[in-house]
Amino acid sequence: ACDVSVLMSNWERHFHQGDSLPGFVFEATGYGPVFEEQPVDTIYPEESPEAKITMSCRARANPPATYKWLLDSEEIDLDVQDSHYRLVGGNLVISNPIKSKHVGMYTCLASNNFGMIISRAASVQFGYLDLFSSEERESVYVKEGQGAVLLCAPPPHYPVELSFRWILNEFPTFIPLDKRRFVSQITGNLYISKVDSSDSGNYSCIASSPSISKSVFSNYIPLVPLAEHCEIHRIKKYPADLKVKFPDTTALVGQNITLECFALGNPVPEIRWKKLDGHLPPNHEVHMAGTHLHLYNVQTEDAGRYQCEAVNSKGKDYHSARVSVEAFPEWVEHITSIEKDLNSEYTMSCIASGKPKPHIRFLKNGKPFGKNEVRFNSLTFEDSGMYQCIAENHHGVIYANAELRVFACAPTFEHNPVKRVMAAKNGRVVIECRPKVAPKPTFTWSKDTELLSNSTRVFIWEDGSLEIFNVTKADEGRYTCFAENDRGKANSTGSLLVTDATKISFTPTNADINVGENALMHCAATHDSLLDITFIWSLEGQVIDLHKDSQHYERTPNESSNGTLLIKNAQLKHAGRYSCTAQTPVDNVTASADLVVRGAPGAPGGIRVMNKTDKSVTLQWSRGTDNHSPISKYNIQYRDSFSKVWKDATTSPANIEGNAETATVVDLFPWTEYEFRVIAINTLGTGEPSSPSPKDRTLDAFPVVAPSNVSGGGGTNGEVIIEWKPVEPQYYYGPNFGYIVAFKQHSRNDWRYVTVADADAKRYVHKDSSIPPTTEFQVKVKAFNSKGEGPYSTTATVLSAQDIPSEAPQSVGGKALSATAAVVWWMHIVQSSIDGYQVRFWRSQKEGEEGDRKVSVSNRDNHTRLEGLKPDSRYEVEVRGYNSAGYGPLSKIIQIHTKRAPPSTPLKVKMKLKGQSVYVYWDYVQPLANEAPVDSYKVLYRQEGHTPGILYNTNKNFIDLPRHSDGKYVVEVRAATEGGDGPVGQVVVAGKRYTPV
């Protein structure tokens, strides 16, 4: 029997992971603690209704483990009177937690008579989110078109992570986030890039702590957009101005991070992202209308300098910051459970990756035990125990656990006897001898009754295994291994069976095909009839999965000694060295051949711009693979910043030969950002395009396109309005694009020139109070940029503003039509330049002009109807003319008194059938004191489902109506008054032959 020190545990790659018992365990000697559950960082809400904290700790052990806990490296006394601590199993329960006493780092120790292990440290912190300050928030006044920032100013809180939303006027009307509005999840501030009138209201910031499930609301912040009152005022435009800028950021490998950028400006800026030292990672996404750049599963190569660019028609703004990528510790090599011989040498070592580089330290039974590695020159029983290797940097800590068992015993083959093995003729064989033994024994071997010794064909390894080279039939027999040390000796016998060697009888041959064709790789082998044979095919050393890639590979025919491979519809990726391996349980043999697949060329590489002008660029590239068919020519494509579609480029030379590595692209637009790609072509087809070249801009040039649709007119007194259709951006041809407006009175020769430095401008207003109304002007417009000026547009004729109407309408009159409607009329103004009339009216009972309403009519009309009036009310009405220059003087005010309202009492209508007629009757309506008297009754007789009918009028409270033969009819009765008709009463009459459905 073996002498074994006290040991055993479960070894975890990471401290928090469980595992099964080690494979070396074969005696029921028990084992040391193995963590199944460990404490985790805990945030206890200060307002929690559950007045306790539970820190978990559970270990598997035999005998069962006992537990201790440390707070900030000091042992917690669980027996002290009135203690807040108690132990439930291995868990530590803190009752009625107190912030001043119980915040800190907690560690669990689990031990039994085999040793001790220590858990990772876990923190306890108290979470809170205070209320916002109760101070009233000041109103924010912003001109329409300008940007606004509403400060959230979150209250004191822990932990630091909060999420933010904003509400408008009342909960739960949340502010929708788009290109114009943005909420920073770092500061909580609300940003509006361009304020308009719809933004008016009261705003409140909601701060939420996901850790403690609590949200608080700020006091309302009134936002007041200030509108310009001048009717011709145009909201001023502002260049993009970045207000939210992401800081230098450190991410961990595998982590997800979000970078924020947002800009104010009018027009609303567009946000673009780029990586200054390379391409944006493939694992990126842009969300929230471009304001968020998400990087998922960050890797080391994602580190670098990132830039956000805010762009609108008035300008650009840039910001860049560095993203650094570091890493949590991760094991490259770590300790594992092992049995070692008494007095042997052994080294424990751990290697961990991470950034910064982790520090390595060891524990034995929970106590410090060296750094980096532990070396034993001569193991003793006392070296047995439970070891922990710890790797740590400032991002975290990982644990690897193992048990070292030191033992000594006489050899025994009980669990691993020498086995029966087979070998092929002329091959080699190894017969293993692996007894359980310590210290290391001496080994001898015998075949049948013959003792074996090392020779040119036979060799006994240091670990006891027997190796035989160039095996023959004579080597068959029984082989015995003898092991002996200072504690005893033992032996075990196995046997060797020699089979015929496997040989390739039909080897594959080289093949040469085109893409899409088939190829046959022959392979056959002879083998020992007692053994099964399989064929394995590999391409460039990688085994081919015939089932997974059955679209291109097939074994045919499927005979036991034939492994021929059919390659179907071959593609370029299928070219290479194919190896056929014929394999039996005893040996294997391999033969190889090459397959050449000819196809379209590969993609050219290294596309770059060498020289450029305003309309051309010279490209250079490196040849891609020709895939065994010479490249005959190249095709160049481009795409610009105005289109995402690749187009064929015009080149010089027009036909680019296959041996070329440079060409010039012509007929490009000046000052335009382009990408280029090159495609190689041979007789077998067109290859894949190259990767796009880095974006590059052609040089600037004079504008050549003039603004179109030049026109104008209108405005107020003394104004000349000139309008045009702006030039499309692709025709700017250079930076600092704008317009030069030229104009002169038709009767004069001297032109006046005005510069409009706005590429999006489409009108100019010239003001001069001395200009007579409707004066004829000649106008023309041309474009300019930093390079110079372009051609003028065609000359157009426009008129200066009309004169404001100087006369007020005369003979204004009106009368009430009913309780809710009236009609107003007037005489036309003689002045010719009248576009229409405005009628303004209001109730006389109202003070001032509150609640006034306006109706506009064309210059062809001299009357209008006023609707929606109040019954029995006095209205005041005035009329004035207007044109594009403004409103003329007001007429005299007239008054109109609406009629009293019709009776509100509904009619109760009844009927009696009288042969060929129907007698319909109702009670007389008695109007109230403020209602109009009844003049008569209106009776509408119509077929059900139809609007038209016959209308009767009567002063009586009854009427005889003819009875129809078919269908159903409806009789509707209303009281008619000067103020209108009262509510309807109705009755349904069935025809003489009507049958209900």
Side-chain angles (χ1 to χ4, degrees):
C2 296
D3 293 328
V4 185
S5 65
V6 172
L7 88 131
M8 308 203 57
S9 79
N10 176 44
W11 319 130
E12 309 164 69
R13 183 167 184 266
H14 293 293
F15 196 54
H16 60 281
Q17 295 175 335
D19 201 353
S20 58
L21 289 176
F24 63 69
V25 177
F26 57 87
E27 297 181 46
T29 58
Y31 52 92
V34 180
F35 280 122
E36 294 183 323
E37 194 172 355
Q38 296 184 67
V40 296
D41 293 339
T42 300
I43 296 174
Y44 175 75
E46 291 185 354
E47 302 171 11
S48 174
E50 185 178 6
K52 69 176 182 179
I53 299 172
T54 300
M55 303 296 285
S56 300
C57 186
R58 180 163 54 89
R60 183 172 71 250
N62 184 17
T66 58
Y67 300 91
K68 294 180 182 179
W69 282 84
L70 307 179
L71 171 57
D72 295 333
S73 301
E74 295 291 331
E75 185 174 346
I76 297 173
D77 188 348
L78 299 171
D79 299 323
V80 68
Q81 192 172 3
D82 299 327
S83 172
H84 291 262
Y85 299 105
R86 59 191 172 94
L87 210 56
V88 178
N91 296 343
L92 179 68
V93 179
I94 310 171
S95 302
N96 301 313
I98 300 172
K99 188 173 183 179
S100 59
K101 289 185 177 181
H102 299 127
V103 168
M105 300 298 293
Y106 288 78
T107 311
C108 174
L109 283 69
S111 62
N112 65 8
N113 58 340
F114 289 90
M116 175 186 292
I117 54 176
I118 184 169
S119 77
R120 61 168 170 254
S123 68
V124 168
Q125 298 288 344
F126 280 59
Y128 63 92
L129 175 58
D130 291 348
L131 297 176
F132 276 92
S133 169
S134 60
E135 292 183 8
E136 185 175 343
R137 298 287 190 105
E138 293 184 0
S139 298
V140 177
Y141 297 89
V142 185
K143 286 185 178 181
E144 290 185 13
Q146 290 186 345
V149 181
L150 303 187
L151 303 180
C152 180
H157 58 278
Y158 185 87
V160 296
E161 293 81 10
L162 292 179
S163 64
F164 299 95
R165 290 188 292 178
W166 284 73
I167 58 173
L168 175 59
N169 295 328
E170 61 182 359
F171 184 86
T173 307
F174 295 105
I175 301 295
L177 303 182
D178 50 30
K179 288 179 66 175
R180 199 171 63 85
R181 288 169 290 207
F182 173 74
V183 175
S184 171
Q185 294 304 311
I186 298 174
T187 64
N189 297 340
L190 170 63
Y191 297 82
I192 304 175
S193 64
K194 184 191 75 169
V195 171
D196 60 36
S197 58
S198 67
D199 295 318
S200 177
N202 297 310
Y203 291 76
S204 175
C205 177
I206 306 176
S208 302
S209 174
S211 300
I212 63 173
S213 301
K214 180 180 178 181
S215 298
V216 291
F217 296 67
S218 74
N219 282 343
Y220 280 107
I221 305 171
L223 175 62
V224 183
L226 302 176
E228 290 290 341
H229 297 290
C230 177
E231 293 185 13
I232 64 165
H233 175 76
R234 295 173 64 243
I235 294 176
K236 187 176 179 182
K237 296 184 178 181
Y238 301 91
D241 181 14
L242 282 167
K243 290 298 183 183
V244 178
K245 304 175 182 180
F246 65 98
D248 285 341
T249 304
T250 298
L252 294 180
V253 170
Q255 192 178 29
N256 302 332
I257 63 169
T258 299
L259 307 182
E260 291 186 341
C261 264
F262 188 76
L264 309 184
N266 181 21
V268 175
E270 179 183 350
I271 304 294
R272 301 170 183 168
W273 293 88
K274 65 172 66 172
K275 189 169 184 277
L276 295 179
D277 43 8
H279 295 292
L280 284 172
N283 52 337
H284 84 276
E285 289 183 5
V286 177
H287 289 170
M288 299 294 289
T291 58
H292 280 172
L293 174 64
H294 296 291
L295 302 181
Y296 296 101
N297 188 25
V298 171
Q299 300 300 310
T300 305
E301 57 269 21
D302 298 337
R305 197 156 195 89
Y306 287 76
Q307 176 182 280
C308 65
E309 176 188 46
V311 184
N312 68 7
S313 60
K314 297 298 292 181
K316 299 181 180 180
D317 196 8
Y318 304 86
H319 168 72
S320 66
R322 179 161 294 281
V323 172
S324 302
V325 180
E326 298 189 348
F328 195 85
E330 185 174 359
W331 291 121
V332 176
E333 178 183 315
H334 62 87
I335 56 175
T336 56
S337 303
I338 195 170
E339 290 181 324
K340 295 299 290 183
D341 298 354
L342 183 68
N343 300 325
S344 64
E345 294 182 357
Y346 179 56
T347 299
M348 285 184 179
S349 64
C350 287
I351 301 173
S353 63
K355 187 176 181 181
K357 184 178 179 180
H359 300 288
I360 306 291
R361 56 191 173 92
F362 283 85
L363 303 178
K364 179 184 178 184
N365 294 328
K367 302 296 182 183
F369 196 75
K371 297 181 179 180
N372 296 324
E373 70 175 22
V374 176
R375 187 182 299 276
F376 301 94
N377 294 322
S378 180
L379 286 169
T380 66
F381 287 132
E382 287 72 24
D383 294 322
S384 295
M386 305 179 63
Y387 291 82
Q388 293 177 276
C389 177
I390 302 171
E392 184 174 12
N393 64 15
H394 63 250
H395 295 302
V397 58
I398 54 174
Y399 294 72
N401 309 322
E403 184 166 342
L404 172 63
R405 168 175 283 189
V406 180
F407 74 102
C409 68
T412 173
F413 288 92
E414 180 181 356
H415 296 282
N416 197 17
V418 176
K419 296 177 175 58
R420 177 179 180 270
V421 296
M422 291 189 294
K425 284 182 183 177
N426 303 318
R428 63 178 283 271
V429 65
V430 175
I431 307 174
E432 292 185 342
C433 180
R434 299 286 176 85
K436 179 73 175 177
V437 59
K440 183 178 178 180
T442 57
F443 294 97
T444 55
W445 280 85
S446 68
K447 176 181 179 293
D448 298 328
T449 59
E450 176 188 358
L451 191 64
L452 299 177
S453 59
N454 288 341
S455 66
T456 55
R457 279 201 330 116
V458 178
F459 182 75
I460 301 173
W461 291 2
E462 191 175 343
D463 68 357
S465 298
L466 176 66
E467 183 174 19
I468 304 173
F469 296 94
N470 298 322
V471 174
T472 66
K473 271 288 186 181
D475 292 321
E476 285 188 336
R478 293 171 57 82
Y479 288 79
T480 303
C481 175
F482 300 89
E484 181 177 359
N485 67 3
D486 59 359
R487 298 197 169 221
K489 58 185 176 180
N491 64 77
S492 178
T493 300
S495 63
L496 172 63
L497 175 65
V498 178
T499 63
D500 291 334
T502 304
K503 296 179 180 179
I504 297 289
S505 58
F506 193 168
T507 60
T509 57
N510 296 339
D512 189 328
I513 60 174
N514 293 335
V515 167
E517 296 178 347
N518 297 343
L520 207 59
M521 288 284 183
H522 294 284
C523 186
T526 59
H527 63 285
D528 193 293
S529 59
L530 297 177
L531 302 175
D532 292 328
I533 188 170
T534 58
F535 290 88
I536 300 170
W537 282 92
S538 61
L539 172 59
E540 299 294 353
Q542 297 296 316
V543 174
I544 298 171
D545 187 331
L546 298 176
H547 175 73
K548 187 176 180 180
D549 203 3
S550 59
Q551 181 181 357
H552 293 286
Y553 293 110
E554 181 182 318
R555 277 276 309 278
T556 177
N558 194 18
E559 300 174 7
S560 61
S561 297
N562 191 328
T564 297
L565 177 70
L566 173 64
I567 305 166
K568 304 178 292 183
N569 186 23
Q571 303 300 308
L572 293 172
K573 65 181 179 180
H574 298 128
R577 189 163 188 79
Y578 283 80
S579 297
C580 171
T581 299
Q583 181 172 295
T584 69
V586 175
D587 64 344
N588 63 76
V589 62
T590 299
S592 301
D594 292 316
L595 174 65
V596 173
V597 180
R598 301 179 187 272
I607 314 301
R608 57 187 180 132
V609 175
M610 299 298 294
N611 297 300
K612 60 184 178 180
T613 69
D614 58 340
K615 294 183 179 180
S616 67
V617 298
T618 299
L619 299 177
Q620 187 179 63
W621 62 89
S622 57
R623 293 168 56 87
T625 58
D626 64 9
N627 292 322
H628 309 290
S629 179
I631 297 171
S632 55
K633 64 177 181 176
Y634 288 98
N635 184 31
I636 297 179
Q637 294 182 328
Y638 72 91
R639 65 181 176 188
D640 56 37
S641 52
F642 306 105
S643 172
K644 299 301 181 185
V645 178
W646 288 98
K647 303 172 185 176
D648 289 338
T650 303
T651 61
S652 176
N655 296 314
I656 307 170
E657 296 183 357
N659 59 358
E661 293 187 1
T662 182
T664 300
V665 180
V666 297
D667 297 342
L668 300 177
F669 282 88
W671 194 247
T672 301
E673 192 173 69
Y674 286 98
E675 293 176 279
F676 301 93
R677 66 183 188 183
V678 182
I679 302 171
I681 301 168
N682 64 15
T683 57
L684 295 177
T686 300
E688 291 294 317
S690 67
S691 298
S693 66
K695 292 180 180 179
D696 205 343
R697 191 184 292 273
T698 50
L699 301 182
D700 56 354
F702 294 95
V704 297
V705 176
S708 59
N709 297 344
V710 177
S711 61
T716 59
N717 278 340
E719 287 186 347
V720 180
I721 297 179
I722 303 167
E723 297 175 326
W724 62 89
K725 182 181 179 182
V727 174
E728 296 292 333
Q730 60 263 43
Y731 299 108
Y732 287 175
Y733 285 11
N736 303 318
F737 187 85
Y739 300 96
I740 295 175
V741 181
F743 58 96
K744 73 178 184 70
Q745 289 190 28
H746 186 70
S747 59
R748 297 183 181 178
N749 296 322
D750 53 323
W751 289 86
R752 300 186 63 176
Y753 303 92
V754 175
T755 299
V756 180
D758 181 356
D760 293 330
K762 51 188 176 184
R763 75 197 303 254
Y764 169 71
V765 180
H766 174 68
K767 297 183 179 181
D768 184 347
S769 59
S770 66
I771 299 175
T774 61
T775 300
E776 192 173 282
F777 278 80
Q778 289 184 311
V779 298
K780 54 186 178 180
V781 186
K782 67 178 175 180
F784 73 91
N785 60 24
S786 58
K787 190 77 173 179
E789 300 173 5
Y792 273 113
S793 66
T794 56
T795 302
T797 300
V798 301
L799 298 178
S800 64
Q802 298 173 332
D803 200 3
I804 293 175
S806 58
E807 301 175 15
Q810 301 296 316
S811 302
V812 178
K815 69 174 183 178
L817 299 177
S818 67
T820 60
V823 63
V824 179
W825 59 83
W826 59 89
M827 293 284 290
H828 278 303
I829 296 175
V830 178
Q831 184 177 346
S832 61
S833 56
I834 297 295
D835 293 340
Y837 297 93
Q838 183 191 71
V839 180
R840 175 173 165 265
F841 58 98
W842 64 94
R843 289 178 71 185
S844 301
Q845 293 91 328
K846 296 277 184 179
E847 293 185 3
E849 298 181 1
E850 180 183 348
D852 65 333
R853 293 159 60 189
K854 299 179 181 70
V855 175
S856 294
V857 299
S858 76
N859 61 359
R860 297 187 300 274
D861 296 325
N862 68 336
H863 64 276
T864 188
R865 186 181 175 99
L866 307 181
E867 303 279 2
L869 307 180
K870 299 290 184 183
D872 196 18
S873 298
R874 188 177 303 279
Y875 280 86
E876 297 186 357
V877 183
E878 60 186 12
V879 185
R880 59 179 173 176
Y882 69 87
N883 59 21
S884 59
Y887 291 97
L890 293 164
S891 71
K892 291 181 180 179
I893 295 175
I894 66 164
Q895 292 187 344
I896 299 174
H897 196 115
T898 55
K899 301 181 183 298
R900 284 180 289 175
S904 57
T905 305
L907 283 165
K908 295 182 180 178
V909 183
K910 301 177 183 178
M911 72 159 186
K912 292 180 181 178
L913 299 177
K914 295 167 53 180
Q916 300 298 319
S917 66
V918 56
Y919 176 72
V920 180
Y921 60 97
W922 56 90
D923 294 333
Y924 282 111
V925 174
Q926 299 299 325
L928 302 176
N930 63 341
E931 294 177 341
V934 177
D935 294 331
S936 63
Y937 295 94
K938 293 180 179 178
V939 180
L940 178 65
Y941 192 29
R942 62 180 177 83
Q943 188 173 2
E944 188 177 58
H946 295 74
T947 302
I950 301 174
L951 182 65
Y952 300 91
N953 209 309
T954 178
N955 293 321
K956 300 175 183 178
N957 68 333
F958 62 88
I959 191 170
D960 282 314
L961 300 172
R963 188 180 180 192
H964 295 281
S965 300
D966 299 317
K968 292 173 67 177
Y969 285 78
V970 178
V971 181
E972 296 179 351
V973 183
R974 294 177 177 83
T977 73
E978 65 172 8
D981 296 339
V984 67
Q986 69 176 25
V987 66
V988 177
V989 179
K992 287 180 286 186
R993 294 198 296 269
Y994 173 74
T995 303
V997 179

